[in-house]
Amino acid sequence: MSQGAILSIDRFDQDASGTVAVVRDESWYREVRYETVRGVAITEEKALVANLVGLLVMGLAATLMPNASVFVIPLLARAAAIFGTRTMWNRLRQKLEAGKVIRPTMWGLGFTLAFGGASWALLLLPLLVDPFLHPARMAIGAGTFVGVALVTVLLSPTPRLMIAFIAGFSVTVTAGLFSAPEFMALQAFIYAHGLLLAIAGFAYASSHQRRLSAEMLVENRLLGEELADSLAHAEFLMHRDPLTGLRNRRCLFEEEWPGLAPHKRKHVLTLDLDHFKHVNDTHGHATGDHVLIAVANILRDFETSIPGGPHVSARLGGEEFVFVLTNLDRALALSSAELIRTRIEELGTKVRNFEGVTTSASIGLCSVRSGQSLDTALQKSDLAMYRAKERGRNRVEAHAA
């Protein structure tokens, strides 16, 4: 987690009872649509066998019809529609799995579904245009409307895809009825579209629960992510200063100091920013916070740029910082402290937006003896730091070794 990180709560709201809920903005609706399409795609993946069985039954029934030859093109169109829609659904599933943009694929799928609707209509038209009283006629007619109903129900959570499919069926039936006997055309149109409207109405009603399921999935996922972020943030605050991102006092005392190898030479620097209250009073607390963050960044940079190591920096509170140097001799520790002091002094002249802000730090150094506690080392480095302030500030003072 980055320094000074604050969790975003833009997507969450609280009611009067304190219940946290997801804000239903455009981003939320987009995720629900995405999840809805995913659900339809998963269901469609298991429908290939049913499609092929339906095509086989239709083909067998057509061969028994007296006008069997007129069903050749509709059956070929139906086979092409099954292949085309399966190809587009597979492409869509791949895009969903990869988290890619699906809009272009949805457009392509809409066109193939419109052709799929037309292929069902082509199977129905021979029964309307040139009716025969034959048992196979019932299998083809009933099978067509069952197939149209199943596809419509499947697509109902995605209205645009459902409309494309219905439109393909409706336009093809309407166009084909122009060649039907006049006394039958109007009745066939009314009956076919009446059944189609009933199917669409039922499909739309049944889609409500599936949309609610998609909404619940999205809300649960977002709330789960928010909970995980909150837990991570809470854990972060246990060990880190929320403003600067440096280690806090607890982390320094309980984790970092015990973890530093006792046999290595250590030096503790106590840094206190000079006249920091004046910075807050003159330039505002926001500027003061920026100064603290900039100082923390300097210390963080020195953790990796100074020889030896590992080095540890922490914010004890207010404008006071601690820097623990390991595996360095005293002379190099003093020169490192001087470099840190210089970098802090240059903030007011070299950092943008700090014009007019005077920054400096008084630094006290204590060399740590074997077995010495951090409390003892800090007391000694504090004494050296106060001596630096008494001698004019913006300087480094070392406690007697």
Side-chain angles (χ1 to χ4, degrees), residues 23 41 65 77 82 113 154 174 182 187 210 217 224 252 292 298 311 313 315 333 338 341 343 352 394:
V23 175
M65 292 289 290
I82 292 174
L113 285 170
L154 169 70
T174 303
E182 185 176 348
Q187 294 183 51
R210 296 168 71 181
L217 282 172
L252 179 64
L292 293 173
I298 291 172
H311 310 305
S313 59
R315 182 187 179 199
E338 187 62 33
R341 184 201 63 78
R343 284 280 303 277
R352 274 184 86 182
N394 192 23

Side-chain angles (χ1 to χ4, degrees), residues 250-310:
R250 176 181 178 179
C251 180
L252 179 64
F253 274 81
E254 297 181 6
E255 298 180 22
E256 297 296 344
W257 182 262
L260 294 173
H263 64 276
K264 290 186 177 181
R265 290 171 294 182
K266 293 190 283 288
H267 307 275
V268 174
L269 306 182
T270 299
L271 300 84
D272 191 85
L273 300 183
D274 299 323
H275 304 297
F276 188 70
K277 184 177 184 302
H278 177 75
V279 173
N280 281 333
D281 293 344
T282 305
H283 302 280
H285 286 275
T287 299
D289 287 346
H290 284 299
V291 170
L292 293 173
I293 293 171
V295 171
N297 289 336
I298 291 172
L299 298 181
R300 194 178 288 107
D301 290 342
F302 273 103
E303 285 185 18
T304 55
S305 62
I306 297 175

Side-chain angles (χ1 to χ4, degrees), residues 12 70 151 173 187 220 267 346:
F12 299 89
V70 301
V151 175
V173 167
Q187 294 183 51
N220 288 342
H267 307 275
E346 291 173 348

Side-chain angles (χ1 to χ4, degrees), residues 52 221 244 254 281 319:
L52 294 177
R221 183 173 66 244
T244 64
E254 297 181 6
D281 293 344
E319 64 270 26

Side-chain angles (χ1 to χ4, degrees), residues 125-145:
L125 280 173
L127 307 181
L128 301 178
V129 174
D130 193 13
F132 285 93
L133 293 177
H134 194 281
R137 183 173 184 267
M138 179 182 297
I140 296 174
T144 296
F145 276 105

Side-chain angles (χ1 to χ4, degrees), residues 84-96:
T85 53
R86 170 54 54 140
T87 301
M88 292 304 300
W89 278 112
N90 285 338
R91 190 173 300 173
L92 179 63
R93 280 187 284 270
Q94 291 171 1
K95 293 286 185 68
L96 290 167

